[in-house]
Amino acid sequence: MTITDQQKKILELLADGEFHSGPVLADILGVSRSAVWKQLHNLTELGLEPIAVSGKGYRLKRPIEFLSSEKIESVLMDNVRLNISDLNIHDRLDSTNNHLINLAKCAARSGTVCLAEFQIAGKGRRGRSWVSPFGSNIYLSLLWHFHNGPSAISGLSLAVGVSVIRALASLGLSGIGLKWPNDIYWQEHKLGGILIEVTGETHGPCAAVIGIGLNIYIPDREAAMIDQAWIDLTRIMGGISISRNRLVGTLLNELLPILADYENHGLAPYLDEWRSYDCLVGHPVVIYQGESAITGNAGGIDDNGLFRLMTADGKACCFASGEVSFSKN
Ligand code: BTN
């Protein structure tokens, strides 16, 4: 499904969240009133929530702040702006990660940033899909080249998690934690996630596409498609909206310096900070690996960023991969 010029125009008119009458919309767009109604109805396919009230007209349930490269750039620090080689905003993509993986094959440079208003096939970890309604959340991917192969960037996703928490904290949001390896959590509910996809040689140059999804506002209909406990920033903040452009700019300010330094110092500079955000440590958990489920108490991460599980027989086991959940017992 594409976003037509007509839909884009309607969205721009309705972005203020105010009522607009059918005849006025029809007039501006140069179409019939029934065509306006049809276009509005189609907006639900983008995950939007148009509301019709007789005598008043149409409005969106929530206003939309469109992503804007000018607004994002106005937030960037000078040294960060220098490290961004391209910043593209798309109305619709299958997945911002896929888009950058393809660009990486065509020699795109480190610091290429891709954002989308809507992902038709947003990807989560472990083959899951990432619910990506239009204009509501942040779907961001960033390309970075490394010289020394994937092994040199192990633990990168943990450092990226630190950058997300720093960005949220600098906007005044506290109480947000990290769930190993790189889920953004608030009170046992998922607020965001990180998906890093690496292509290239085992011991040579590689390209990492770092994808970050952050929930700003999840419409009810989309929420029904999420199969785990979730939360968004609007709900955390009691209905107050946060500027997506400011958040993206702040996130890039935190993320770019970490990427630029990662091959020099690795995870070590971020370990203590990561541990201070660890929302699993001390909790009874289950780690799933393939078919097996192992229970124990979360024992934090080791110096390589591996997950430590303290089992009932007092042993500590370390895991490089797996899916950890809070245990219900
Ligand atoms: C997870 O499962 O926790 C990872 C979610 C990552 C979602 C983001 S949204 C931007 C980027 N593009 C994608 O298709 N996925 C990532």
Side-chain angles (χ1 to χ4, degrees):
M1 187 199 36
T2 53
I3 293 169
T4 61
D5 289 348
Q6 287 272 311
Q7 269 182 330
K8 191 78 201 287
K9 261 192 197 167
I10 291 200
L11 281 170
E12 277 161 7
L13 291 166
L14 295 180
D16 58 8
E18 303 292 331
F19 276 109
H20 296 264
S21 84
V24 170
L25 288 175
D27 210 35
I28 296 174
L29 296 168
V31 297
S32 67
R33 285 170 68 180
S34 62
V36 168
W37 187 87
K38 202 167 163 224
Q39 292 283 5
L40 280 158
H41 181 73
N42 288 346
L43 294 183
T44 55
E45 290 170 18
L46 298 175
L48 290 164
E49 300 169 300
I51 294 170
V53 173
S54 72
K56 284 190 162 180
Y58 303 101
R59 72 171 178 87
L60 291 178
K61 190 165 173 192
R62 297 186 63 80
I64 298 178
E65 181 207 16
F66 289 103
L67 292 171
S68 140
S69 46
E70 289 77 29
K71 286 186 184 157
I72 293 169
E73 275 160 23
S74 74
V75 177
L76 296 180
M77 296 181 311
D78 290 343
N79 61 324
V80 170
R81 200 174 292 118
L82 289 176
N83 272 321
I84 292 184
S85 38
D86 211 356
L87 192 154
N88 288 309
I89 297 171
H90 299 259
D91 283 336
R92 165 195 177 274
L93 282 177
D94 62 338
S95 143
T96 54
N97 266 28
N98 284 355
H99 186 73
L100 278 194
I101 289 169
N102 288 329
L103 285 188
K105 290 178 197 149
C106 310
R109 291 191 292 149
S110 281
T112 303
V113 178
C114 169
L115 289 146
E117 294 286 12
F118 176 66
Q119 294 187 119
I120 200 152
K123 298 190 291 183
R125 289 173 60 238
R126 311 190 146 256
R128 291 204 178 101
S129 59
W130 190 254
V131 169
S132 308
F134 188 95
S136 317
N137 302 312
I138 288 173
Y139 321 119
L140 176 150
S141 297
L142 194 152
L143 173 66
W144 203 266
H145 294 279
F146 294 92
H147 303 291
N148 298 319
S151 55
I153 56 169
S154 69
L156 176 66
S157 68
L158 279 76
V160 172
V162 167
S163 77
V164 176
I165 304 290
R166 285 182 182 176
L168 293 170
S170 82
L171 296 176
L173 286 146
S174 56
I176 299 179
L178 292 168
K179 174 175 153 298
W180 186 87
N182 47 23
D183 284 343
I184 320 299
Y185 255 63
W186 182 83
Q187 297 186 0
E188 299 193 17
H189 291 71
K190 185 156 169 169
L191 174 66
I194 296 162
L195 175 67
I196 300 188
E197 297 184 89
V198 183
T199 53
E201 299 168 30
T202 324
H203 299 295
C206 69
V209 170
I210 296 133
I212 301 176
L214 264 181
N215 299 337
I216 310 290
Y217 171 71
I218 302 279
D220 294 341
R221 211 176 68 136
E222 307 298 303
M225 293 182 236
I226 305 179
D227 62 357
Q228 53 186 320
W230 61 272
I231 191 72
D232 60 33
L233 285 177
T234 309
R235 285 169 171 92
I236 291 177
M237 294 167 72
I240 298 169
S241 300
I242 189 160
S243 161
R244 289 194 301 150
N245 289 305
R246 193 158 156 242
L247 180 48
V248 169
T250 310
L251 188 52
L252 293 173
N253 280 339
E254 297 295 344
L255 181 57
L256 267 290
I258 290 181
L259 294 177
D261 182 56
Y262 202 80
E263 263 188 313
N264 297 327
H265 297 105
L267 181 61
Y270 313 104
L271 273 171
D272 285 346
E273 194 175 344
W274 198 98
R275 287 175 176 134
S276 73
Y277 304 140
D278 186 347
C279 63
L280 284 175
V281 67
H283 284 268
V285 294
V286 187
I287 180 160
Y288 299 93
Q289 273 209 322
E291 297 293 292
S292 57
I294 310 149
T295 54
N297 265 9
I301 54 169
D302 74 5
D303 288 351
N304 296 312
L306 304 187
F307 178 72
R308 249 194 322 233
L309 184 78
M310 317 305 289
T311 54
D313 54 11
K315 284 193 193 128
C317 307
C318 286
F319 294 85
S321 65
E323 175 88 359
V324 190
S325 292
F326 289 96
S327 170
K328 300 276 174 280
N329 323 321

